[in-house]
Amino acid sequence: MSKSSNKNWRDELHEIIYEADTPAGKLFDIILLIAILASIALVMLESIKSFDEKYHDFLNISEWVITILFTVEYIARIVTVKKPIKYITSFYGVIDLLSTLPKYLSLIFAGTHALVALRALRLLRVFRVLKLARYLGASNHLASAIKASRAKISVFLFAVLIAATIFGTIMYLVEGEEHGFENIPKSIYWCIVTLTTVGFGDIAPVTPLGQFIASVIMILGYGIIAVPTGIVSAEYTKQAGQAKTPLTNQPHRNIHLNSQSCANCLANDHKDNAEYCHKCGHNLHIN
Amino acid sequence: MSKSSNKNWRDELHEIIYEADTPAGKLFDIILLIAILASIALVMLESIKSFDEKYHDFLNISEWVITILFTVEYIARIVTVKKPIKYITSFYGVIDLLSTLPKYLSLIFAGTHALVALRALRLLRVFRVLKLARYLGASNHLASAIKASRAKISVFLFAVLIAATIFGTIMYLVEGEEHGFENIPKSIYWCIVTLTTVGFGDIAPVTPLGQFIASVIMILGYGIIAVPTGIVSAEYTKQAGQAKTPLTNQPHRNIHLNSQSCANCLANDHKDNAEYCHKCGHNLHIN
Amino acid sequence: MSKSSNKNWRDELHEIIYEADTPAGKLFDIILLIAILASIALVMLESIKSFDEKYHDFLNISEWVITILFTVEYIARIVTVKKPIKYITSFYGVIDLLSTLPKYLSLIFAGTHALVALRALRLLRVFRVLKLARYLGASNHLASAIKASRAKISVFLFAVLIAATIFGTIMYLVEGEEHGFENIPKSIYWCIVTLTTVGFGDIAPVTPLGQFIASVIMILGYGIIAVPTGIVSAEYTKQAGQAKTPLTNQPHRNIHLNSQSCANCLANDHKDNAEYCHKCGHNLHIN
Amino acid sequence: MSKSSNKNWRDELHEIIYEADTPAGKLFDIILLIAILASIALVMLESIKSFDEKYHDFLNISEWVITILFTVEYIARIVTVKKPIKYITSFYGVIDLLSTLPKYLSLIFAGTHALVALRALRLLRVFRVLKLARYLGASNHLASAIKASRAKISVFLFAVLIAATIFGTIMYLVEGEEHGFENIPKSIYWCIVTLTTVGFGDIAPVTPLGQFIASVIMILGYGIIAVPTGIVSAEYTKQAGQAKTPLTNQPHRNIHLNSQSCANCLANDHKDNAEYCHKCGHNLHIN
């Protein structure tokens, strides 16, 4: 796939970082995956008080190791891409930056006593989990079905919110503060809990009339859950149907897409025999 | 679209209020939207005791501003429509009236000490949220799918209620008053909570037999939720299929509908090049 | 529809009771509907202690009125049918008998002090709600879709039960008696509560491992609810598709079925111009 | 179906154990089914302390009877199969072994005081419930629909986990330890409870901001449940469509499959008139 003769170190690094069809590229991907999962585990363990007290130093050092690793990854990604600005401002660019910052910023804020800010900063690291989204990759079919039905689902959710507002106010009037329906926002919260069939039970109607209205809300929620399901189901069936080529009416051929990435515009999903980027026309071999 | 030469102020006002394709019309829509949302926010904030005590005067004045604004809107809508009676008796006409009344009525009842009535009156303002329904607009496709499956869903809900009645009575017999199943209506309430998979947990079976019957009810509820979903899904798929023109079997053309509204009968969704109302034949240009 | 010339009182009564296309038949149906609903209301009100103490006599007399009414109805149905045995042993025949018995039996048991039996007997009256099923009538399309997917849903429910047994035992081992998982049956009950996404919260995992396994169970339950929905949805779509006539590929004509009932075999849904019962060949006019 | 003339006792035993179309084979199946159900009932009853104390000896003896029965079954299955290794390493082979071991191992560990290990060992018996899976049999259609949509559902569940991680951390920050969100893993557990609409209520948000975020999570969970349902529904509809023969476009003929099992490779579902195994070519009559 790649002619290493006419490639310098930057091109080789690009192939390792952005692509997964060389052994080095695969190794890089696996190391990164482990680092991400380890990083999330660290954030979780740190939040468990008893564990944090015992192994504070171990957690701190591990965090520094991972932060440095992600920093190196971030710099390497900038260096090997033709258009760094495009990468830096992209979704993954922002996530990659966010993955490195918290630990450095904690040094700066260490002197101050803004504990809440520090805590929020530490927890920011959990957004590293979004780096995993890179591995989700090829679920375009699914994403497009959701995108296509997004408008309809929004209308539906909007209707749910209107219903929650009205029923929430009615329940506030019927049950009142003495039964936990302290104010309208809390009543609406309870109404959403009920309409979505979650039902925590932290607040529950006590008066017969309140229980009757709650029954109506529940049956309504039970009935309307069918609507978004029906929409996505129909949309997805349609999408699956359109994936056939119009003339022969056969399912679309499963073209093998490799994991190459254009050094110029970061576009993915090039065909195995592609010579030029399908998005910007950049020669894929020259890099 | 509109020939302003042969238009007086009433026609111009009609275009601003009922249509959204002129800058003034768009501005009117945005102001109204903000007023509605602010109004709902006021009702909510007023219900929070600590907030109401602090900012009572601010809330009162804001409420008067919004009430007057909605009153002006209501009068303007009546004045600019050809058939005011039709508007006043329409769904939106009633909602628009309800949006203005509570504050005025509170003045009348202020002398009396009918506190509960006053409270209910104040909360009536929450129905202003239904004014938002105007902005939902074009979801006709969705609405018709629900309408088409309404009869079947009614049968289904009726069956759910019969099941809830029988199982509720059985649970009342099995668990009894000492475990929270105080009487049959409350038992039926619990049964609906369980069948719809809400599960508050305010009442829960304690005896082994009661827990066994509850398991049966839950699995039943889990199984029958598939029914309305299947109905809407099938109905929606059918609707999407019928949207194709019969002969060419191609998806229906996306005709651009503008936001004009007939001054005579309030019908919406006129085509861009429409000269006459598609419902009552009124000339759209003359107004 | 009916030639009253060659009809005696039995035939006329049959038409009133079993059919709804004469004014008398409609009136009979409405009276019966009100009686059923009133009867259910009585059972419910009787179970509310404070109400029962106040209005005991009123409830008792009303119950006698309704019992006598249902007894008259039951006898009338037997008298007017050609094959009474078939009616008596049919689903509705048993329900109609059960609707009358409790009050009479309560007289017999009144002397004894079998209070629990008496209470169960009184509550038996709630099965009168099944008399309402007669009015559901024409939902054959829906019923056949459920019947067609019944086998597959059974397999699915069986799989759910196997999963609940295994996960229930694991949770019993992990959480133990001190956290409410007292024995395996109770653990399985909790597991069904969780798998079906009901989630009462009367029992909830406390240990981290227990909460982890609970998360797995919940995601499993969330994932597998898609299965019965998919089955019913697909089955229903297929049913709707097969409802077209094979050659012309047009939707099936909406043949008007009247509410006549065969006096011989009780079959319903005869076409308006039907001369003979489509099930047993009995002449519908002669009765 | 089977020529018993050229069959020795092993062949006859094979037919009894692996097939269900002779009276002896049916009887064997029914006895096994009862033994499995009785065995599960024993495990359950043993876990109920009060019952175990009363009937300890009865439970112990019954357990030995069932263990010996399953041991005999296990040995018989090995003896009558041509390739025992294949059976032993198969799913059912492992389950059949696991069904016999616990009681024997309890003898070995009886001397030691490893009570927890002993308890876990006893509960291992519950996996006997998986022996029931043999009777589920012919639901291949359903299984293949789930298998086909497995990849898409995995992507979906992965996305749910990412959302749970991020929202869990946010809720930990917002609500904090004083409201039950003690650490991030527990917060994520709560988030899964909410996203899946289970809603135990053992932990529930108390602050207004926390309740607002909870509302967002609930509506999200309510909305995304549509996705897996839509996938399975579409996949299942497709599967049902492909089950038609391509040319005649008629539903696939319902070929009667008998319960014969190949003595060589254990393959099932041979056609009634099959002479040779459709998987390995072994002569079905010779065994």
Side-chain angles (χ1 to χ4, degrees), chain B:
Chain B
M1 219 81 54
S2 57
K3 300 170 192 170
S4 46
S5 54
N6 59 354
K7 275 190 177 175
N8 55 9
W9 65 268
R10 266 182 63 188
D11 292 344
E12 271 168 40
L13 202 60
H14 179 272
E15 194 158 307
I16 291 168
I17 295 172
Y18 286 97
E19 295 162 31
D21 42 14
T22 59
K26 269 176 196 155
L27 188 69
F28 175 85
D29 268 20
I30 289 162
I31 290 171
L32 193 64
L33 187 62
I34 292 167
I36 296 168
L37 293 176
S39 162
I40 303 299
L42 280 179
V43 180
M44 288 187 191
L45 290 172
E46 212 183 290
S47 78
I48 303 170
K49 233 176 180 171
S50 61
F51 192 94
D52 185 41
E53 277 163 7
K54 253 191 190 163
Y55 304 101
H56 187 77
D57 289 343
F58 166 75
L59 289 174
N60 193 32
I61 293 164
S62 307
E63 184 55 38
W64 271 117
V65 171
I66 282 171
T67 298
I68 288 163
L69 202 121
F70 284 162
T71 311
V72 171
E73 183 217 348
Y74 184 60
I75 293 167
R77 281 189 191 270
I78 293 176
V79 169
T80 56
V81 163
K82 275 269 161 61
K83 296 183 177 170
I85 303 299
K86 200 167 182 183
Y87 161 70
I88 290 166
T89 56
S90 74
F91 173 73
Y92 289 123
V94 172
I95 293 297
D96 286 342
L97 182 63
L98 270 174
S99 301
T100 59
L101 278 185
K103 200 67 190 170
Y104 297 121
L105 288 174
S106 73
L107 279 184
I108 300 167
F109 287 100
T112 69
H113 292 283
L115 285 172
V116 178
L118 254 177
R119 205 173 158 224
L121 200 64
R122 275 213 313 276
L123 295 179
L124 211 67
R125 287 180 285 149
V126 97
F127 282 95
R128 284 173 186 165
V129 83
L130 290 174
K131 279 169 96 91
L132 287 176
R134 268 203 186 93
Y135 296 92
L136 282 178
S139 60
N140 299 317
H141 207 51
L142 185 60
S144 65
I146 296 169
K147 206 179 259 172
S149 44
R150 201 172 43 182
K152 281 157 202 160
I153 286 180
S154 299
V155 168
F156 162 76
L157 288 183
F158 194 52
V160 165
L161 283 179
I162 289 180
T165 306
I166 290 174
F167 278 112
T169 307
I170 292 172
M171 286 304 281
Y172 167 67
L173 192 68
V174 169
E175 289 283 327
E177 288 168 47
E178 61 272 29
H179 299 138
F181 294 77
E182 288 166 34
N183 48 53
I184 294 180
K186 201 162 194 175
S187 256
I188 291 174
Y189 157 72
W190 173 86
C191 209
I192 291 172
V193 168
T194 306
L195 262 177
T196 55
T197 78
V198 170
F200 283 130
D202 52 343
I203 313 166
V206 179
T207 63
L209 180 59
Q211 292 180 339
F212 175 75
I213 297 170
S215 299
V216 172
I217 297 172
M218 281 180 270
I219 287 180
L220 203 75
Y222 194 59
I224 57 179
I225 201 167
V227 178
T229 310
I231 295 168
V232 175
S233 183
E235 206 67 47
Y236 195 81
T237 312
K238 212 171 75 183
Q239 292 258 338
Q242 286 174 346
K244 298 171 181 179
T245 52
L247 275 169
T248 58
N249 207 33
Q250 283 172 351
H252 67 132
R253 280 169 302 145
N254 212 334
I255 297 153
H256 183 73
L257 303 170
N258 64 38
S259 64
Q260 273 193 104
S261 169
C262 174
N264 189 46
C265 74
L266 295 173
N268 281 110
D269 297 335
H270 299 287
K271 277 191 280 185
D272 264 357
N273 56 349
E275 298 282 323
Y276 298 94
C277 174
H278 63 76
K279 266 209 150 166
C280 69
H282 186 77
N283 190 324
L284 289 171
H285 297 318
I286 298 174
N287 201 330

Side-chain angles (χ1 to χ4, degrees), chain B residues 152 155-156 158-159 161-162 165-166 169-170 172-173 176-177 182-185 188 190 193-194 197-206 210-212 214-215 218-219 222-223 225-227 229-231 233-235 237-238, chain C residues 40 43-45 47-49 116 119-120 123 126-127 129-130 132-133 135-136 139 141-142 146 153 156-157 160-161 186 189 192-193 195-203 220-222 224-225 228-229 232-233 236-237 240:
Chain B
K152 281 157 202 160
V155 168
F156 162 76
F158 194 52
L161 283 179
I162 289 180
T165 306
I166 290 174
T169 307
I170 292 172
Y172 167 67
L173 192 68
E177 288 168 47
E182 288 166 34
N183 48 53
I184 294 180
I188 291 174
W190 173 86
V193 168
T194 306
T197 78
V198 170
F200 283 130
D202 52 343
I203 313 166
V206 179
Q211 292 180 339
F212 175 75
S215 299
M218 281 180 270
I219 287 180
Y222 194 59
I225 201 167
V227 178
T229 310
I231 295 168
S233 183
E235 206 67 47
T237 312
K238 212 171 75 183
Chain C
I40 303 300
V43 180
M44 287 187 189
L45 290 172
S47 79
I48 303 170
K49 233 175 181 174
V116 179
R119 205 174 157 224
L123 295 179
V126 95
F127 282 95
V129 83
L130 290 174
L132 287 176
Y135 296 92
L136 283 177
S139 61
H141 207 51
L142 184 61
I146 296 169
I153 286 182
F156 162 76
L157 287 182
V160 166
L161 283 179
K186 201 163 193 176
Y189 157 71
I192 290 172
V193 167
L195 263 178
T196 55
T197 77
V198 171
F200 283 130
D202 52 345
I203 313 167
L220 204 76
Y222 194 58
I224 57 179
I225 201 166
T229 309
V232 174
S233 184
Y236 194 82
T237 312

